[in-house]
Amino acid sequence: MSDGTLIFEPTQVWLELAREELTRAWQQSQSFVWPNCRWNAYLNQLTLSAVLPWVQEEYAPAAKPWPSRAALLSFWQAVTGTAIELDNARLVFVPTDTIDLSELRVPQEWVDIPSWAGDYYIAAQVNPDEGGVLLWGYTTHEHLKTAGIYDSRDRTYCLPSDELILDLNVLWVARQLCPQETTRAALAPLPILPQKQAENLLVRLGNPDIAEPRLAVPFELWGALLEHGGTRQQLYERRLGLPEQWSVKKWLSAGVSELAENMGWGLLELQANIVGARGEESPAERSVCRQLIIAGQPYELRVFPLDDSDQPVWRFQLRNTSSGGLIPGGFKLRLLTEDLQAFENNEDVAEQAREELFIEVSLAPGEGLVWETEPFPDKYDREILRF
Amino acid sequence: MRPRQSLIEMFSTFLQFDAERWASDPKLRRSMQHCLEQLQRSEKEENFWALYWHKLWQAQPAPQAGQAGTALARSHLTAYLQESCYWTAKKTSDTLASNHYALSDCFQMAISAVDTVLKGFNPTQGYSLKNYASAIFSSALRNELRQRQEVDVCTTWALLRRISQKRLVESLQQAGRSNEEITSYVLAWKCFKTLYAPVQATATRQLPPPDSATKEAIVNLYNKERGNEISPSAPKCSADILEKWLLTCAKAARSYLYPAQVSLNAPTSGDDSDEFLSDLPDSLTESLLTEIIEREEEQNRLALAIQMRAALTAALNSLDSQGQTLLQLYYGQGLTQQQIARQLEMKQYTVSRRLTKSRETLLLALAQWSQNSLHISLASNLLKDISLILEGWLNYHYRPPELSSEME
């Protein structure tokens, strides 16, 4: 792209980006309020665009962004870093645009939030002017936790370059020759925030005037807020000043919000005669649904009110959408309160293969629910549906 | 350049670019003479002395006042590695497109990695210090060139955005700033990075100064954060002070990342008091000697080294011809990936990816060989060492013809 002499080592990986990708990444990153946040999102987007095709072509065709592409903006709003999931390992890329390759600084979130932690942390130097990304060193979670220096000022784990493995080839050779190697250190779980506390934090940190929300409250609270996909998403929306995006009632009357649509939600309108043919539990004419992949099979999660009243009973149902497909024995559909507590009749279990799993629940206006299945679907990230 | 012949010369002379000759350091010369007499080793054993000084250096790697032995060992080794450094620098400087950097500049940049060499070298791996040094010098030099090239084209504000925190702190320390000052500067710099980012997708090297509204916002953020980050009594900042601080940071960073050439080649032992081996406890000298002699007698290790080279050569020969060509151009002729791309009419990222892939094949072969022949269980940190051995071998295998006799 430029005529400068780029000098790389064969131990490093230089990945080029097309001009259009720079433009697209730039546009996608402009919604954030703070300049550094926009810039971080841009660097992360570029890293993902460069790295994902490379990993897929060279090493793992099934590699995908974690938890899902649609969730990334809510991560980047909070902290820099992009995770890619392989079959049995997670790579966390930490992009910077620094000139010198002297250290790797990994935000604490990627290290100490148990469900976020990766196996490998890879230093990515993004150079928009040269149109590429240089991967120049990496380490494991285990090494970062044991040898890394924790900088409490900006809550990062730092390793100087001589503590990193500066040959990216080693990563892939290690995965082939010593797959049993310990890559992760043990982590203590973070608390689950009571709903009231989560709401208080969201009000406080959702204020876009706070420059560095990640440093504004103790890490345990911040980490817990982020680990729950639903509150992380709300934080993102509040800092952007967006109105409620997850009201199922609103979706049914005015269409699914764009954000929820990106996550896979859609509106389904049924013909009256098909409704009749379904039998006793006739669904309403409109429902919202989300396609899921669970253990390699396609499913549909459908949510709809059972009557037209102001406070209807809501039905959550899960079906296998492959022709003649059933829900295998052992599968569960479960609903939880916003702060992930169980309640009476919140779960349906398939003792043996069944046509559907369903839960019916009455809710107060404004109440929120989190759904989950067991096993988890692909790209699962908790979300809070509002009723 | 005339290769040095005698053992004393090898461990006590330094390359003089202006005069194209070897300059002898009297203190190092006396030290080597003294050692040769005292230890009664034969003149020919260059490798013995390399290991000996390295072992001594390792005993106390952090140079501290009063540890004359360490500084002395480092000086001897720096003298010893002059030739490896010279050939590495020559290989790279011959291929540089611009004449911005003379051979002597490249040499200076490479030799500054001497501590990295000494720290990383592991004598039990069956490779000579010289081979290992070539690999490290070569990547350090390329890294340095790449970094300078970026620093050179960055405006003050771009440089500030693109320096790592580690280097910024080091730059300020080198510029003689107190810890208190550094704390304030680093906080100001962080606030600057929070609020000032490029406003377009490219041209990140030509950033203009922040406008006055942004400066004001940075000052406000600093004044808000200083209570938590420094201390509640830390003085307030103003727009003028902020600008002054940031410019100080940028200036320190630039002179740290892109220093005017200073001679790093001269030995560090400035005084000429005769503190050589007589200052070291006899027991240490004894144990060092025993260990080295034991190692020399390990014929087994030598045999393994030969097997390993054979295994690597076989793996190299089984690469496709393009892979072999790329390695030859890169390690043998020292071409940059961009030059290779031009020569072979390929895209640079294709060169980069194929080269990496070829090297990965060799690393895999070497790792498997180690697993099977040495019966070791592999782990990432061991593979890291194996990668360095591979780098040493590649530099050895594709060494310049001038060195082929010497490095056998």
Side-chain angles (χ1 to χ4, degrees):
Chain A
M1 206 175 252
S2 93
D3 54 7
T5 318
L6 288 170
I7 306 166
F8 306 113
E9 305 292 307
T11 50
Q12 303 171 334
V13 178
W14 169 252
L15 302 167
E16 230 157 73
L17 288 161
R19 172 70 66 181
E20 308 80 68
E21 289 186 281
L22 294 170
T23 315
R24 190 154 40 98
W26 183 256
Q27 287 159 355
Q28 283 168 355
S29 61
Q30 293 310 296
S31 57
F32 295 112
V33 177
W34 290 82
N36 63 329
C37 207
R38 284 200 286 271
W39 187 249
N40 276 339
Y42 176 57
L43 296 185
N44 276 283
Q45 182 66 57
L46 289 180
T47 303
L48 181 68
S49 308
V51 156
L52 188 60
W54 167 69
V55 174
Q56 287 169 339
E57 279 165 39
E58 302 273 354
Y59 302 102
K64 51 182 191 282
W66 177 87
S68 70
R69 201 178 273 275
L72 292 174
L73 285 176
S74 72
F75 279 77
W76 297 337
Q77 186 283 130
V79 65
T80 187
T82 298
I84 287 182
E85 191 117 276
L86 316 181
D87 295 342
N88 47 3
R90 187 180 296 162
L91 312 178
V92 179
F93 293 87
V94 186
T96 66
D97 58 346
T98 53
I99 294 170
D100 54 293
L101 309 178
S102 57
E103 64 177 345
L104 171 64
R105 296 180 85 84
V106 183
Q108 187 177 6
E109 289 86 337
W110 286 108
V111 182
D112 285 340
I113 298 180
S115 62
W116 287 33
D119 295 280
Y120 303 100
Y121 293 80
I122 302 173
Q125 184 195 42
V126 186
N127 191 331
D129 290 20
E130 297 289 350
V133 176
L134 182 73
L135 309 179
W136 60 272
Y138 82 95
T139 190
T140 62
H141 182 262
E142 207 267 334
H143 194 60
L144 199 54
K145 272 300 262 188
T146 50
I149 300 153
Y150 178 69
D151 184 343
S152 59
R153 292 172 99 64
D154 58 358
R155 293 190 188 159
T156 50
Y157 285 91
C158 317
L159 276 179
S161 59
D162 57 5
E163 283 282 345
L164 301 178
I165 296 180
L166 298 178
D167 181 355
L168 261 293
N169 291 330
V170 168
L171 195 159
W172 306 107
V173 172
R175 298 208 33 81
Q176 283 178 69
L177 298 185
C178 35
Q180 305 307 323
E181 185 179 15
T182 307
T183 49
R184 295 201 192 190
L187 291 174
L190 291 171
I192 290 174
L193 300 175
Q195 195 175 333
K196 183 88 189 119
Q197 194 179 10
E199 180 54 32
N200 286 342
L201 284 171
L202 285 171
V203 168
R204 186 168 156 207
L205 304 175
N207 175 0
D209 291 342
I210 307 264
E212 293 263 30
R214 61 182 292 269
L215 303 180
V217 293
F219 179 77
E220 277 218 325
L221 301 182
W222 170 251
L225 197 67
L226 291 190
E227 186 166 36
H228 185 327
T231 46
R232 187 187 64 245
Q233 185 65 31
Q234 282 191 28
L235 180 67
Y236 162 72
E237 287 156 17
R238 289 187 193 206
R239 287 185 66 81
L240 260 60
L242 301 176
E244 176 63 64
Q245 302 286 307
W246 297 89
S247 160
V248 176
K249 266 189 191 155
K250 233 189 257 173
W251 292 356
L252 287 171
S253 60
V256 173
S257 70
E258 197 185 324
L259 265 175
E261 209 174 334
N262 289 339
M263 299 288 176
W265 285 98
L267 197 59
L268 202 68
E269 291 185 69
L270 292 178
Q271 301 294 325
N273 52 353
I274 299 178
V275 173
R278 281 280 182 195
E280 72 276 36
E281 290 287 359
S282 56
E285 285 173 26
R286 291 181 137 208
S287 59
V288 292
C289 66
R290 190 179 155 169
Q291 310 303 318
L292 304 172
I293 304 287
I294 308 175
Q297 288 274 316
Y299 293 84
E300 184 183 74
L301 175 67
R302 199 181 286 187
V303 183
F304 51 89
L306 289 178
D307 55 74
D308 288 339
S309 70
D310 275 353
Q311 280 192 51
V313 171
W314 292 87
R315 181 178 167 101
F316 285 70
Q317 75 180 33
L318 182 73
R319 289 191 173 171
N320 188 321
T321 53
S322 59
S323 80
L326 295 174
I327 293 179
F331 272 43
K332 292 176 187 168
L333 175 65
R334 189 182 298 130
L335 299 179
L336 300 167
T337 62
E338 283 184 56
D339 47 0
L340 309 181
Q341 305 302 311
F343 50 86
E344 212 181 321
N345 299 325
N346 74 323
E347 172 174 288
D348 192 14
V349 185
E351 308 288 354
Q352 55 207 6
R354 265 164 61 174
E355 195 177 326
E356 68 173 17
L357 289 175
F358 73 92
I359 302 165
E360 289 176 357
V361 56
S362 13
L363 295 162
E367 207 171 329
L369 275 184
V370 172
W371 62 272
E372 65 181 32
T373 64
E374 208 177 295
F376 283 126
D378 287 5
K379 303 180 180 175
Y380 181 70
D381 188 23
R382 290 191 199 287
E383 48 192 25
I384 299 173
L385 301 181
R386 189 74 55 197
F387 293 88
Chain B
M1 184 202 59
R2 174 185 67 85
R4 295 172 292 185
Q5 300 299 330
S6 85
L7 207 48
I8 292 183
E9 262 193 307
M10 279 182 208
F11 285 92
S12 67
T13 60
F14 293 83
L15 207 49
Q16 294 265 298
F17 277 94
D18 42 0
E20 290 203 1
R21 66 183 183 92
W22 291 101
S24 175
D25 180 84
K27 185 185 161 191
L28 294 180
R29 167 172 284 272
R30 283 198 300 278
S31 159
M32 266 316 273
Q33 275 167 345
H34 178 85
C35 289
L36 284 167
E37 283 160 23
Q38 197 186 4
L39 300 174
Q40 300 181 325
R41 296 290 299 193
S42 129
E43 261 277 318
K44 287 175 194 145
E45 295 167 67
E46 166 191 340
N47 210 31
F48 166 85
W49 287 105
L51 288 175
Y52 177 81
W53 290 119
H54 184 257
K55 196 80 195 162
L56 206 56
W57 177 87
Q58 249 179 348
Q60 296 158 318
Q64 282 167 25
Q67 291 180 343
T70 303
L72 188 71
R74 186 180 176 280
S75 301
H76 279 303
L77 289 166
T78 309
Y80 177 60
L81 292 174
Q82 300 281 298
E83 268 150 328
S84 310
C85 187
Y86 175 84
W87 291 116
T88 303
K90 185 157 182 357
K91 197 158 89 174
T92 303
S93 107
D94 283 351
T95 62
L96 286 180
S98 74
N99 48 9
H100 200 72
Y101 297 105
L103 172 58
S104 57
D105 297 325
C106 290
F107 180 89
Q108 294 286 10
M109 286 182 229
I111 200 77
S112 64
V114 75
D115 288 316
T116 314
V117 172
L118 299 184
K119 193 173 163 208
F121 178 61
N122 180 348
T124 61
Q125 285 169 347
Y127 260 84
S128 73
L129 178 61
K130 276 189 173 176
N131 275 321
Y132 180 74
S134 301
I136 298 293
F137 283 145
S138 156
S139 77
L141 174 55
R142 287 192 292 251
N143 242 334
E144 182 71 22
L145 284 168
R146 187 163 163 270
Q147 181 180 304
R148 288 187 180 206
Q149 188 183 306
E150 281 291 326
V151 172
D152 207 20
V153 294
C154 274
T155 63
T156 299
W157 305 97
L159 182 63
L160 275 177
R161 269 209 56 89
R162 299 188 53 203
I163 185 171
S164 72
Q165 187 171 332
K166 182 165 187 284
R167 286 285 186 264
L168 177 65
V169 171
E170 288 166 1
S171 310
L172 291 167
Q173 282 165 344
Q174 199 203 32
R177 298 290 160 175
S178 71
N179 284 342
E180 246 171 33
E181 283 175 307
I182 292 178
T183 314
S184 301
Y185 290 3
V186 169
L187 177 60
W189 171 76
K190 280 185 180 173
C191 295
F192 161 76
K193 280 195 62 164
T194 304
L195 287 156
Y196 182 72
V199 291
Q200 48 184 3
T202 56
T204 61
R205 294 153 171 166
Q206 278 85 45
L207 297 184
D211 57 29
S212 56
T214 309
K215 269 188 219 161
E216 204 55 47
I218 300 172
V219 169
N220 291 338
L221 185 59
Y222 177 91
N223 288 335
K224 213 168 97 196
E225 301 284 321
R226 87 204 135 99
N228 297 326
E229 295 262 336
I230 306 175
S231 81
S233 60
K236 273 189 139 185
C237 181
S238 68
D240 288 346
I241 296 176
L242 177 93
E243 176 148 355
K244 211 178 95 203
W245 284 357
L246 290 175
L247 291 175
T248 306
C249 287
K251 197 172 159 217
R254 199 179 290 280
S255 64
Y256 187 67
L257 294 179
Y258 201 146
Q261 289 302 336
V262 288
S263 178
L264 296 164
N265 195 28
T268 46
S269 51
D271 64 298
D272 45 17
S273 57
D274 282 354
E275 359 161 48
F276 13 95
L277 271 184
S278 49
D279 294 340
L280 297 168
D282 284 347
S283 56
L284 177 62
T285 317
E286 275 305 312
S287 71
L288 285 175
L289 274 176
T290 325
E291 259 188 71
I292 290 168
I293 290 163
E294 273 170 6
R295 183 167 308 123
E296 282 182 328
E297 285 166 2
E298 272 183 25
Q299 292 300 319
N300 195 14
R301 197 186 302 281
L302 280 177
L304 276 175
I306 291 165
Q307 277 180 35
M308 186 186 81
R309 287 179 205 184
L312 271 172
T313 312
L316 184 63
N317 291 336
S318 67
L319 289 177
D320 62 20
S321 64
Q322 191 186 50
Q324 294 190 35
T325 309
L326 289 175
L327 288 170
Q328 160 64 30
L329 292 172
Y330 186 81
Y331 286 98
Q333 300 188 28
L335 297 187
T336 64
Q337 296 187 7
Q338 197 176 43
Q339 289 164 330
I340 297 175
R342 223 174 285 137
Q343 187 164 331
L344 300 182
E345 296 180 347
M346 288 163 73
K347 290 219 176 292
Q348 186 182 336
Y349 78 92
T350 315
V351 171
S352 171
R353 273 167 81 156
R354 301 233 168 116
L355 201 51
T356 305
K357 205 71 193 164
S358 301
R359 203 182 164 287
E360 186 183 315
T361 309
L362 296 179
L363 181 66
L364 183 66
L366 181 56
Q368 279 169 331
W369 177 86
S370 311
Q371 201 173 25
N372 298 332
S373 311
L374 308 176
H375 309 291
I376 48 174
S377 59
L378 292 172
S380 291
N381 56 349
L382 207 63
L383 287 168
K384 181 182 177 181
D385 286 347
I386 292 177
S387 160
L388 290 172
I389 296 179
L390 175 63
E391 204 60 17
W393 180 80
L394 283 164
N395 276 283
Y396 163 82
H397 187 81
Y398 292 112
R399 66 200 175 280
E402 302 92 296
L403 287 182
S404 49
S405 60
E406 188 196 341
M407 290 175 89
E408 290 298 358

